[in-house]
């Protein structure tokens, strides 16, 4: 087991228990023009985040919400721990350190003191964040640490986030898809505009410390995707390891175990896990609006080619 399940469930229970106490207008706060969920972070935490000290062997995973960060996070934990060959005792110590230090599964979650406590976590730390480059602590982009960037086609990401917003009791619900779609396109959702995230990450596409992978690519051939990731981080795994990790991280396998791994959050998180679900909700006009925005902001870029927009997003 490479994941601190108790800590995840404790966080989920804590977050859900606050939902009855918090009014919809207090569910989000704005920091430097971007919205964040109030039960998970605060302006003070985002201010303190600047002091985060990156280690050169940190394994960093960055992805906008709903791009599949929980899936790839689990894959990363399995790849890392298989390469490290932690003994059962070492694994227990790593899990206990996270529990004792009360760290979170996302870099920008928690109280402002978390970055001091994270200094005491054993290496290699796996750091997951939803933040785009301009909002990351400076040490991440200045250090030698490698960053894996996860992207997903913007239409499925939008649909996934819509359902998430309306299922999460600690986020304000939208009264309709149309109302939500306007907010998504204008970046008026937590973590801001997805297109803006993509534009910012595209600036790093040739950086050798950064690797981009797409949700769709992992769905097409997870083993190939994991081999590329392992080569990038110089993890040494054998064919059987890749097969085992692929089997334990299928959507079905993770969904079936989700009560154990994510408590109540599991039913919300593991929704459909497919490519192309946007076709159920996007109107013709919304399709055109997204296609135009993508073309205006990312048309002709290497990231657009990597994301295969025409294949996954054109009606
Ligand atoms: P859907 O809502 O389209 O089903 P995140 O973890 O960043 O919040 O992303 C959540 C999305 O990843 C959800 O998409 C979820 O179903 C999908 N997902 C989670 N685990 C997955 C897995 N093992 N395989 C494929 N998709 C998965």
């Amino acid at each position: 087991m490479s994941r601190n399940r108790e800590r995840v469930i404790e966080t989920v229970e804590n977050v859900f228990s606050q939902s009855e106490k918090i009014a919809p207008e207090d569910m989000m706060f704005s920091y430097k023009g971007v919205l964040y969920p109030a039960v998970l972070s605060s302006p003070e935490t985002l201010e303190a985040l600047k002091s985060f000290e990156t280690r050169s062997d940190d394994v960093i995973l960055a992805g906008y919400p709903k791009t599949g960060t929980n899936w790839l996070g689990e894959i990363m934990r399995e790849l890392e721990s298989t390469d490290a060959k932690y003994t059962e005792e070492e694994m227990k110590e790593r899990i206990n350190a996270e529990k004792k230090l009360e760290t979170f599964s996302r870099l920008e979650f928690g109280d402002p003191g978390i970055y001091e406590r994270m200094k005491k976590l054993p290496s290699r730390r796996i750091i997951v964040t939803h933040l785009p480059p301009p909002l990351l602590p400076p040490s991440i982009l200045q250090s030698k640490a490698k960053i894996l960037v996860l992207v997903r086609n913007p239409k499925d990401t939008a649909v996934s986030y819509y359902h998430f917003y309306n299922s999460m009791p600690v986020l304000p619900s939208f009264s309709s898809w149309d109302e939500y779609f306007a907010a998504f396109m204008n970046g008026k959702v937590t973590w801001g505009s997805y297109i803006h995230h993509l534009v910012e990450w595209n600036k790093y596409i040739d950086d050798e410390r950064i690797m981009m992978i797409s949700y769709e690519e992992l769905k097409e051939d997870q083993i190939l995707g994991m081999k590329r990731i392992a080569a990038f981080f110089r993890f040494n795994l054998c064919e059987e390891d890749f097969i085992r990790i692929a089997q334990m991280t299928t959507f079905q396998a993770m969904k079936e175990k989700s009560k154990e791994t994510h408590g109540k959050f599991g039913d919300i998180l593991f929704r459909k896990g497919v490519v192309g679900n946007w076709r159920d909700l996007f109107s013709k006009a919304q399709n055109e609006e997204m296609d135009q925005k993508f073309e205006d902001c990312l048309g002709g870029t290497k990231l657009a080619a990597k994301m295969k927009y025409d294949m996954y997003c054109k009606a």
Side-chain angles (χ1 to χ4, degrees):
M1 186 178 75
S2 62
R3 180 153 210 195
N4 194 342
R5 290 178 181 171
E6 261 179 60
R7 181 80 189 120
V8 175
I9 302 219
E10 189 184 287
T11 308
V12 168
E13 297 287 325
N14 182 30
V15 164
F16 278 67
S17 72
Q18 291 188 49
S19 62
E20 281 151 28
K21 299 179 213 149
I22 180 163
E25 62 274 18
D26 297 329
M27 288 179 173
M28 300 186 292
F29 67 91
S30 175
Y31 178 79
K32 298 197 172 162
V34 177
L35 295 170
Y36 296 91
V39 293
L40 293 165
S41 191
S42 69
E44 293 75 25
T45 296
L46 296 176
E47 210 39 53
L49 175 62
K50 291 180 194 149
S51 69
F52 173 74
E53 287 176 16
T54 310
R55 296 180 193 155
S56 56
D57 64 355
D58 280 340
V59 172
I60 299 166
L61 166 62
Y64 184 83
K66 313 323 291 171
T67 52
T69 51
N70 281 276
W71 179 28
L72 192 51
E74 188 62 18
I75 294 172
M76 291 304 296
R77 277 183 286 275
E78 287 301 328
L79 293 174
E80 192 278 330
S81 60
T82 306
D83 173 66
K85 299 189 173 63
Y86 299 119
T87 61
E88 212 170 299
E89 203 47 43
E90 285 168 333
M91 205 57 190
K92 259 193 219 153
E93 275 172 28
R94 292 175 67 79
I95 289 175
N96 281 339
E98 283 179 20
K99 204 170 149 196
K100 208 167 124 215
L101 296 165
E102 299 190 341
T103 56
F104 285 89
S105 57
R106 296 287 179 274
L107 180 63
E108 57 273 27
F109 287 3
D111 60 279
I114 195 162
Y115 306 109
E116 256 327 287
R117 305 201 297 277
M118 282 177 82
K119 289 182 184 168
K120 296 187 188 131
L121 283 174
S123 288
R124 287 176 295 212
R125 300 180 302 185
I126 297 185
I127 311 274
V128 186
T129 179
H130 290 316
L131 295 170
L135 300 176
L136 285 173
S139 76
I140 288 196
L141 294 165
Q142 288 157 7
S143 82
K144 293 200 170 84
K146 292 185 178 170
I147 309 175
L148 179 64
V149 179
L150 174 64
V151 294
R152 185 180 191 186
N153 82 66
K155 292 183 183 174
D156 280 340
T157 305
V159 169
S160 180
Y161 216 174
Y162 170 61
H163 291 292
F164 189 75
Y165 248 91
N166 280 359
S167 317
M168 274 300 272
V170 290
L171 285 176
S173 294
F174 285 94
S175 59
S176 68
W177 159 254
D178 289 350
E179 186 203 358
Y180 162 83
F181 179 76
F184 182 83
M185 295 304 279
N186 292 316
K188 297 287 172 222
V189 289
T190 45
W191 281 274
S193 157
Y194 180 42
I195 298 287
H196 173 71
H197 277 235
L198 295 174
V199 168
E200 289 299 330
W201 278 120
N202 182 56
K203 295 178 185 165
Y204 292 84
I205 202 152
D206 293 323
D207 190 320
E208 58 186 19
R209 291 179 311 114
I210 290 171
M211 171 180 159
M212 312 262 178
I213 193 146
S214 73
Y215 178 94
E216 292 75 18
E217 190 180 342
L218 282 169
K219 284 294 282 187
E220 266 174 35
D221 190 339
Q222 191 180 324
I223 292 202
L224 187 64
M226 290 194 299
K227 285 182 178 172
R228 286 189 52 230
I229 296 170
F232 174 66
F233 284 101
R234 296 183 195 275
F235 292 159
N236 201 359
L237 283 85
C238 65
E239 196 63 29
E240 288 73 42
D241 291 329
F242 288 115
I243 295 170
R244 173 182 58 81
I245 298 171
Q247 282 168 350
M248 62 194 283
T249 55
T250 62
F251 178 77
Q252 218 42 48
M254 286 186 73
K255 192 178 171 69
E256 270 162 28
K257 271 203 163 167
S258 69
K259 273 272 169 300
E260 244 176 85
T261 56
H262 292 77
K264 284 184 205 167
F265 184 49
D267 288 341
I268 298 173
L269 181 62
F270 300 99
R271 195 183 62 92
K272 278 198 182 286
V274 297
V275 177
N277 190 223
W278 59 269
R279 289 171 200 280
D280 292 352
L281 283 175
F282 271 71
S283 68
K284 191 168 176 286
Q286 288 164 343
N287 263 321
E288 285 168 5
E289 188 179 334
M290 179 68 91
D291 293 350
Q292 193 59 54
K293 182 144 189 172
F294 193 87
E295 181 58 31
D296 292 347
C297 298
L298 286 141
T301 62
K302 286 191 183 170
L303 185 54
K306 163 126 206 92
M307 291 176 74
K308 299 188 188 160
Y309 187 89
D310 284 0
M311 179 165 158
Y312 292 114
C313 276
K314 287 283 167 78

